[in-house]
Amino acid sequence: MATLAFLGAAQQVTGSCYLIETGEHRLLLECGIRQGTDRRDDEDEQPFSFDPRTIDSVIISHTHLDHSGMVPLLVKSGYDGPVYTTSATRDLLPIMYRDAASLILSDYERKNRRLLRAGKEPETPPYDMEDVEQALQLIVGINYGIKQQVCPEIQLRFRDAGHVLGSAIVELWIAAEEGNRKLVFSGDLGNDCAPLLSDPEVIAEADILLLESTYGERNHRPLSETLEEFKKVIETAANKGGNILIPSFAVGRTQDLIYWLGQLKREGGLDSHTVYIDSPMAIKVSDVYSRHQSLFNDDDPDFRQFIKQGWDRWLPGLVYTPTPEESMELNTLNDGAIIIAGSGMCTGGRILHHLKHNLWLPNTHVVIVGYQAQGTLGRALVDGISQVKIYGEEISVKAKIHTLGGFSAHAGQDQLIRWASNFQPKRPHLFLIHGEPEAMDVLQQRLIQDYQWDAYIPSLGEVITL
């Protein structure tokens, strides 16, 4: 009997993880970290609800850590099989994993210094750089559209999801005693306004569909309105002084921002500002994007010609600040800086230092350009918090906070439904995953009322028969 267990991102957004068992074999679909309030109280002691040594294969849809970030810990815990992903994701994961490990080790060094001063025993990091390098040896890159046998009873094919470079919709053909079943996992579906990547590929057949619902309760603002608001923020900062801080994901969002800022530069909208990419990881990721231009859409052929010589050719005056010293120098700037830094949800990284130095200034603008999970600093800023603690210091929030939803790399409600409606003439059994409960409920009701499609919302840990 083949079964599917919802072990993560079930009535949650982060921590994607689904276990497929066919009787003889076990396949793990996604292995992501939990962020914000999605984290379990016992997660550090019991990161997995299964024995990693019993898993035969792992499939990762894309590079974002809430889908892939637990793989090094899985390997440390005994997993030694293949990790299947797309070829572009294979090139991005070394950057993501090494950066994540570096941050974890730095955090534990600081934490252990405090523990030792308090007379307590130091703690061991969950994994180290050696575990990362071992995990990277297991990654198998597969191009879009190629079928691959990943278990004796399971075949895999990746399709372009249009979310970030290398992101995939996952098709699985599962052989079981009850008969063959085709499972489609949407992964994270891209916003069809994305400037660089193609729209999500259309799929028409499935028996079971796992559909993400990050923005299941609403549509994004039109891109034209978002760009207009972005221009006004830049104009206001130019007229009144102050810096613009943009917390941004290193994969996808930073590259989109460089594109849009390059467009604004050509229109004369950036004459008073210098753009800084203050993220070593984003700088490396941009280089991978440049090497995979065959995956870009054809909407702006001039763009491809420019970035063959470097992203700064598209956005003249673009400044990279890879070293800690260069990053710290940015805190001496009083105005005229647009600083793009990670992490995208303000949970770590260099953006925290810039927020610490700028949040209390009323002429600072913080531009939120991506999803902010519950329990993160980014979400607190969006919700209007007036006081935050950064590195142990209380900071008053006087800066102006702007949320620009049109830049999202996720599909909105209408886009999700439009993509799912391609499954014709037979509708698959539909399960909503990867969303907050409120978003799932709204999407479920619309599917029932407008399309007579009964979508099921699984609970965390629930197991279904395929």
PDB file of all heavy atoms in Angstrom, residues 377-390:
ATOM      1  N   LEU A 377      11.027  38.860  12.378  1.00  0.00           N
ATOM      2  CA  LEU A 377      11.149  40.306  12.550  1.00  0.00           C
ATOM      3  C   LEU A 377      10.506  41.031  11.374  1.00  0.00           C
ATOM      4  O   LEU A 377       9.845  42.072  11.549  1.00  0.00           O
ATOM      5  CB  LEU A 377      12.620  40.703  12.685  1.00  0.00           C
ATOM      6  CG  LEU A 377      12.917  42.204  12.739  1.00  0.00           C
ATOM      7  CD1 LEU A 377      12.174  42.879  13.895  1.00  0.00           C
ATOM      8  CD2 LEU A 377      14.427  42.451  12.859  1.00  0.00           C
ATOM      9  N   GLY A 378      10.669  40.494  10.163  1.00  0.00           N
ATOM     10  CA  GLY A 378      10.058  41.120   8.997  1.00  0.00           C
ATOM     11  C   GLY A 378       8.552  41.204   9.130  1.00  0.00           C
ATOM     12  O   GLY A 378       7.939  42.231   8.799  1.00  0.00           O
ATOM     13  N   ARG A 379       7.925  40.135   9.637  1.00  0.00           N
ATOM     14  CA  ARG A 379       6.471  40.138   9.832  1.00  0.00           C
ATOM     15  C   ARG A 379       6.079  41.156  10.893  1.00  0.00           C
ATOM     16  O   ARG A 379       5.072  41.866  10.760  1.00  0.00           O
ATOM     17  CB  ARG A 379       6.003  38.738  10.225  1.00  0.00           C
ATOM     18  CG  ARG A 379       4.490  38.590  10.401  1.00  0.00           C
ATOM     19  CD  ARG A 379       3.729  38.857   9.102  1.00  0.00           C
ATOM     20  NE  ARG A 379       2.368  38.393   9.198  1.00  0.00           N
ATOM     21  CZ  ARG A 379       1.937  37.234   8.706  1.00  0.00           C
ATOM     22  NH1 ARG A 379       2.781  36.424   8.075  1.00  0.00           N
ATOM     23  NH2 ARG A 379       0.675  36.884   8.828  1.00  0.00           N
ATOM     24  N   ALA A 380       6.873  41.270  11.954  1.00  0.00           N
ATOM     25  CA  ALA A 380       6.573  42.248  13.010  1.00  0.00           C
ATOM     26  C   ALA A 380       6.615  43.672  12.463  1.00  0.00           C
ATOM     27  O   ALA A 380       5.779  44.508  12.808  1.00  0.00           O
ATOM     28  CB  ALA A 380       7.570  42.081  14.156  1.00  0.00           C
ATOM     29  N   LEU A 381       7.591  43.960  11.594  1.00  0.00           N
ATOM     30  CA  LEU A 381       7.670  45.291  10.987  1.00  0.00           C
ATOM     31  C   LEU A 381       6.461  45.562  10.096  1.00  0.00           C
ATOM     32  O   LEU A 381       5.883  46.655  10.126  1.00  0.00           O
ATOM     33  CB  LEU A 381       8.959  45.429  10.190  1.00  0.00           C
ATOM     34  CG  LEU A 381      10.264  45.439  10.993  1.00  0.00           C
ATOM     35  CD1 LEU A 381      11.474  45.402  10.068  1.00  0.00           C
ATOM     36  CD2 LEU A 381      10.338  46.651  11.909  1.00  0.00           C
ATOM     37  N   VAL A 382       6.061  44.569   9.318  1.00  0.00           N
ATOM     38  CA  VAL A 382       4.883  44.716   8.462  1.00  0.00           C
ATOM     39  C   VAL A 382       3.632  44.972   9.313  1.00  0.00           C
ATOM     40  O   VAL A 382       2.770  45.787   8.953  1.00  0.00           O
ATOM     41  CB  VAL A 382       4.689  43.459   7.584  1.00  0.00           C
ATOM     42  CG1 VAL A 382       3.323  43.475   6.903  1.00  0.00           C
ATOM     43  CG2 VAL A 382       5.797  43.369   6.542  1.00  0.00           C
ATOM     44  N   ASP A 383       3.548  44.303  10.464  1.00  0.00           N
ATOM     45  CA  ASP A 383       2.370  44.428  11.331  1.00  0.00           C
ATOM     46  C   ASP A 383       2.379  45.692  12.181  1.00  0.00           C
ATOM     47  O   ASP A 383       1.460  45.918  12.968  1.00  0.00           O
ATOM     48  CB  ASP A 383       2.247  43.200  12.233  1.00  0.00           C
ATOM     49  CG  ASP A 383       1.865  41.942  11.445  1.00  0.00           C
ATOM     50  OD1 ASP A 383       1.388  42.093  10.307  1.00  0.00           O
ATOM     51  OD2 ASP A 383       2.057  40.827  11.960  1.00  0.00           O
ATOM     52  N   GLY A 384       3.447  46.508  12.063  1.00  0.00           N
ATOM     53  CA  GLY A 384       3.448  47.812  12.710  1.00  0.00           C
ATOM     54  C   GLY A 384       4.041  47.866  14.103  1.00  0.00           C
ATOM     55  O   GLY A 384       3.710  48.768  14.887  1.00  0.00           O
ATOM     56  N   ILE A 385       4.929  46.966  14.438  1.00  0.00           N
ATOM     57  CA  ILE A 385       5.559  46.989  15.758  1.00  0.00           C
ATOM     58  C   ILE A 385       6.320  48.309  15.951  1.00  0.00           C
ATOM     59  O   ILE A 385       6.891  48.859  15.005  1.00  0.00           O
ATOM     60  CB  ILE A 385       6.502  45.775  15.921  1.00  0.00           C
ATOM     61  CG1 ILE A 385       6.876  45.577  17.387  1.00  0.00           C
ATOM     62  CG2 ILE A 385       7.742  45.918  15.043  1.00  0.00           C
ATOM     63  CD1 ILE A 385       7.578  44.249  17.649  1.00  0.00           C
ATOM     64  N   SER A 386       6.316  48.825  17.170  1.00  0.00           N
ATOM     65  CA  SER A 386       6.936  50.131  17.429  1.00  0.00           C
ATOM     66  C   SER A 386       8.302  50.029  18.098  1.00  0.00           C
ATOM     67  O   SER A 386       9.042  51.008  18.131  1.00  0.00           O
ATOM     68  CB  SER A 386       6.012  50.983  18.313  1.00  0.00           C
ATOM     69  OG  SER A 386       5.778  50.328  19.547  1.00  0.00           O
ATOM     70  N   GLN A 387       8.635  48.850  18.625  1.00  0.00           N
ATOM     71  CA  GLN A 387       9.914  48.659  19.310  1.00  0.00           C
ATOM     72  C   GLN A 387      10.402  47.246  19.031  1.00  0.00           C
ATOM     73  O   GLN A 387       9.627  46.289  19.136  1.00  0.00           O
ATOM     74  CB  GLN A 387       9.738  48.858  20.823  1.00  0.00           C
ATOM     75  CG  GLN A 387      11.042  49.013  21.590  1.00  0.00           C
ATOM     76  CD  GLN A 387      11.468  50.474  21.719  1.00  0.00           C
ATOM     77  OE1 GLN A 387      10.775  51.347  21.221  1.00  0.00           O
ATOM     78  NE2 GLN A 387      12.576  50.713  22.376  1.00  0.00           N
ATOM     79  N   VAL A 388      11.658  47.090  18.633  1.00  0.00           N
ATOM     80  CA  VAL A 388      12.206  45.763  18.369  1.00  0.00           C
ATOM     81  C   VAL A 388      13.535  45.609  19.106  1.00  0.00           C
ATOM     82  O   VAL A 388      14.169  46.599  19.485  1.00  0.00           O
ATOM     83  CB  VAL A 388      12.422  45.533  16.857  1.00  0.00           C
ATOM     84  CG1 VAL A 388      11.107  45.611  16.105  1.00  0.00           C
ATOM     85  CG2 VAL A 388      13.428  46.521  16.271  1.00  0.00           C
ATOM     86  N   LYS A 389      13.933  44.381  19.296  1.00  0.00           N
ATOM     87  CA  LYS A 389      15.238  44.097  19.913  1.00  0.00           C
ATOM     88  C   LYS A 389      16.124  43.444  18.863  1.00  0.00           C
ATOM     89  O   LYS A 389      15.768  42.410  18.284  1.00  0.00           O
ATOM     90  CB  LYS A 389      15.081  43.176  21.120  1.00  0.00           C
ATOM     91  CG  LYS A 389      16.405  42.894  21.835  1.00  0.00           C
ATOM     92  CD  LYS A 389      16.213  42.029  23.077  1.00  0.00           C
ATOM     93  CE  LYS A 389      15.665  42.860  24.221  1.00  0.00           C
ATOM     94  NZ  LYS A 389      15.658  42.107  25.509  1.00  0.00           N
ATOM     95  N   ILE A 390      17.272  44.079  18.595  1.00  0.00           N
ATOM     96  CA  ILE A 390      18.237  43.557  17.622  1.00  0.00           C
ATOM     97  C   ILE A 390      19.588  43.438  18.303  1.00  0.00           C
ATOM     98  O   ILE A 390      20.121  44.429  18.809  1.00  0.00           O
ATOM     99  CB  ILE A 390      18.331  44.465  16.382  1.00  0.00           C
ATOM    100  CG1 ILE A 390      16.966  44.586  15.700  1.00  0.00           C
ATOM    101  CG2 ILE A 390      19.365  43.926  15.400  1.00  0.00           C
ATOM    102  CD1 ILE A 390      16.948  45.535  14.512  1.00  0.00           C
TER     103      ILE A 390
END
